Amino acid sequence: MGKADSFLAHVSQTLSEIESDGLLKRERMIEGPQGARIQVNGREMINLCANNYLGLANHPEIETAARQAINDYGFGMSSVRFICGTQTLHRELENAIAAYLGKDDAILFAACFDANGGIFETLLTAEDAIISDSLNHASIIDGVRLSKAKRYRFANSDMNELEDQLKQADKDGARFKLVVTDGVFSMDGYVAKLPEICALAERYGALVMVDDCHATGHLGEKGRGTSALTGAGDGVDIITGTFGKTLGGAMGGFIAARKEIIDLLRQRARPYLFSNSLAPAVAAGSLKAVELCESGDHLREKMTKNTQKFRAKMTEAGFELLEGETPIIPVMTHDAKLAQRMASALDERGVYVAGFFFPVVPKGKARIRTQISAALGEKDVDEAVAAFIDAGQEVGLI
Ligand SMILES: *Cc1c(COP(=O)(O)O)cnc(C)c1O
């Protein structure tokens, strides 16, 4: 018996439990670039589950910028930022994202997961309070856990509970309070009530942080995200986001805020200090993506048109959709098995989707979450809806 045998048996046991609970995630392999149509197992499929809202993931101008950066700046950095890992490109990208979002400055991370992982511990101490929406992204939950600040939670977008928690934090003697929310809740496609949140934050003297991963680039005026979309504007003090979704879809995260906040993060945020710089090609491609988003009204119009068309046709066909104004459109099945059957019936018909069920969403709220992209043509949307109708009739959803 090797020393690891009993441990490996335990790991196998856990894997079997995951499988028998129906929670095993299988990765299908895509044999080409990300896009509206993707190649899977030798078949072309319509893709309705990428975060590629404006279709920039394989945009030729971004690819050219990335290739040029490899020529001019090389492939890798082999350093963290403060040792020898800051190129002119990195500062250009920080300045561009700050200007785009109307903030003083910005700081880059390897991922938004790292941005959220590093921010709370750096900015807040045990004397302070973090008040967090219950549906916030896993990276916020983990980041909050890493900080010593007192934690308060309010039910998703429940403004009465938020106010109660702000009062409670004051009662508990909090020095500084930070309210944190996703800008868009990705499972439902709901937008956070930012004007209300900012008004409460103003009344109780709290800062506001918004994770706008599912909004930056494609929602609000010029794609400036949920503060632009909702009119919350300057009420939002700190924005975190990703280059891994709308903004070219490669990888990397950022925080944009007042200069003092960014300066302190540069000194203290652990994922920034102890993790490699963004690769030059990723920084240059993301920089081009910011530019394309800022001037991308035509892409946002196309995304919105596709979204409205898909919504209207699916509603007409008798599907139950969650209401909303974002390109995230959940098609409800309620039953988890039905979601799985629907996903595989759609797969057979050449439509690539993901079914979500407990524990990712509450029990009885299983769904197929579709994400609409500007990259889809009219024909793609028509074909996708036709496949949904055919599959929906087969599994008895409509
Ligand atoms: C995708 C996402 C993240 C993680 O972003 P990465 O850059 O991929 O690490 C964080 N927060 C939210 C709300 C997200 O949707």
Side-chain angles (χ1 to χ4, degrees):
M1 290 273 284
K3 70 182 168 65
D5 286 357
S6 72
F7 179 66
L8 293 178
H10 159 76
V11 171
S12 300
Q13 172 64 27
T14 306
L15 284 167
S16 321
E17 281 164 24
I18 293 171
E19 180 156 25
S20 61
D21 289 346
L23 300 177
L24 197 67
K25 293 179 271 299
R26 294 172 211 276
E27 298 177 0
R28 292 173 284 181
M29 282 182 277
I30 300 173
E31 294 142 359
Q34 183 63 277
R37 289 188 180 247
I38 49 177
Q39 197 73 23
V40 185
N41 238 332
R43 273 193 312 155
E44 191 183 76
M45 301 186 79
I46 298 174
N47 187 1
L48 295 186
C49 58
N51 304 310
N52 186 22
Y53 297 112
L54 294 186
L56 298 182
N58 63 344
H59 192 284
E61 284 186 51
I62 294 177
E63 291 173 356
T64 300
R67 281 192 199 98
Q68 190 62 45
I70 291 182
N71 292 342
D72 298 345
Y73 293 88
F75 175 68
M77 285 314 299
S78 298
S79 172
V80 299
R81 287 287 299 273
F82 79 94
I83 299 181
C84 56
T86 301
Q87 290 171 319
T88 48
L89 263 183
H90 296 103
R91 271 311 281 163
E92 272 179 62
L93 180 55
E94 286 171 341
N95 289 334
I97 196 79
Y100 182 41
L101 300 178
K103 297 293 179 200
D104 289 353
D105 200 357
I107 177 173
L108 305 178
F109 289 82
C112 188
F113 206 106
D114 288 332
N116 289 338
I119 189 169
F120 302 101
E121 187 202 24
T122 303
L123 298 183
L124 303 167
T125 73
E127 291 176 75
D128 305 316
I130 301 167
I131 302 146
S132 180
D133 189 288
S134 63
L135 284 193
N136 278 344
H137 190 262
S139 55
I140 294 178
I141 294 168
D142 287 9
V144 170
R145 278 191 197 137
L146 288 171
S147 87
K148 295 194 174 62
K150 289 196 197 72
R151 303 165 203 170
Y152 302 83
R153 228 164 70 119
F154 59 101
N156 180 227
S157 292
D158 184 326
M159 294 300 109
N160 292 324
E161 273 198 25
L162 170 56
E163 182 160 18
D164 289 345
Q165 297 303 313
L166 283 161
K167 285 182 182 155
Q168 189 60 49
D170 276 340
K171 244 190 231 155
D172 296 342
R175 179 184 55 167
F176 300 116
K177 299 184 290 295
L178 173 68
V179 180
V180 55
T181 181
D182 283 11
V184 173
F185 296 95
S186 64
M187 284 301 138
D188 299 320
Y190 296 155
V191 176
K193 297 177 181 166
L194 293 186
E196 289 94 329
I197 290 173
C198 290
L200 281 171
E202 186 72 38
R203 188 171 324 146
Y204 290 89
L207 293 158
V208 176
M209 166 179 155
V210 174
D211 175 342
D212 238 358
C213 279
H214 279 282
T216 311
H218 65 280
L219 293 186
E221 202 228 333
K222 300 282 171 213
R224 293 198 170 91
T226 51
S227 32
L229 180 72
T230 62
D234 290 343
V236 175
D237 301 283
I238 300 170
I239 299 171
T240 67
T242 183
F243 298 108
K245 292 186 171 113
T246 305
L247 294 170
M251 61 189 309
F254 61 83
I255 300 171
R258 287 291 298 269
K259 179 181 184 302
E260 298 86 332
I261 294 175
I262 301 302
D263 286 348
L264 182 59
L265 288 164
R266 244 184 251 291
Q267 298 305 315
R268 295 259 175 90
R270 292 166 67 82
Y272 182 81
L273 293 174
F274 299 108
S275 189
N276 202 30
S277 283
L278 282 189
V282 170
S286 302
L287 187 58
K288 177 56 77 176
V290 173
E291 194 188 294
L292 291 174
C293 283
E294 193 157 18
S295 63
D297 284 346
H298 58 296
L299 296 173
R300 281 180 288 276
E301 272 161 31
K302 179 90 178 304
M303 178 193 80
T304 304
K305 213 173 126 213
N306 284 341
T307 302
Q308 286 166 349
K309 177 172 172 166
F310 185 76
R311 242 185 203 290
K313 289 193 142 204
M314 290 287 287
T315 305
E316 190 192 334
F319 288 101
E320 179 194 342
L321 312 178
L322 291 188
E323 288 301 317
E325 52 190 316
T326 76
I328 296 173
I329 305 180
V331 182
M332 303 305 289
T333 65
H334 298 282
D335 180 68
K337 291 242 156 56
L338 197 51
Q340 281 164 293
R341 289 221 307 279
M342 189 67 188
S344 58
L346 283 163
D347 183 285
E348 283 163 23
R349 288 161 180 80
V351 177
Y352 196 105
V353 294
F356 289 96
F357 33 88
F358 184 79
V360 181
V361 294
K363 280 203 169 109
K365 297 237 171 118
R367 68 199 62 186
I368 304 286
R369 181 187 66 174
T370 63
Q371 292 168 282
I372 304 302
S373 168
L376 295 164
E378 300 248 339
K379 186 163 156 274
D380 300 320
V381 177
D382 289 338
E383 273 182 46
V385 172
F388 258 96
I389 292 172
D390 200 38
Q393 283 167 349
E394 182 182 271
V395 307
L397 184 58
I398 52 168

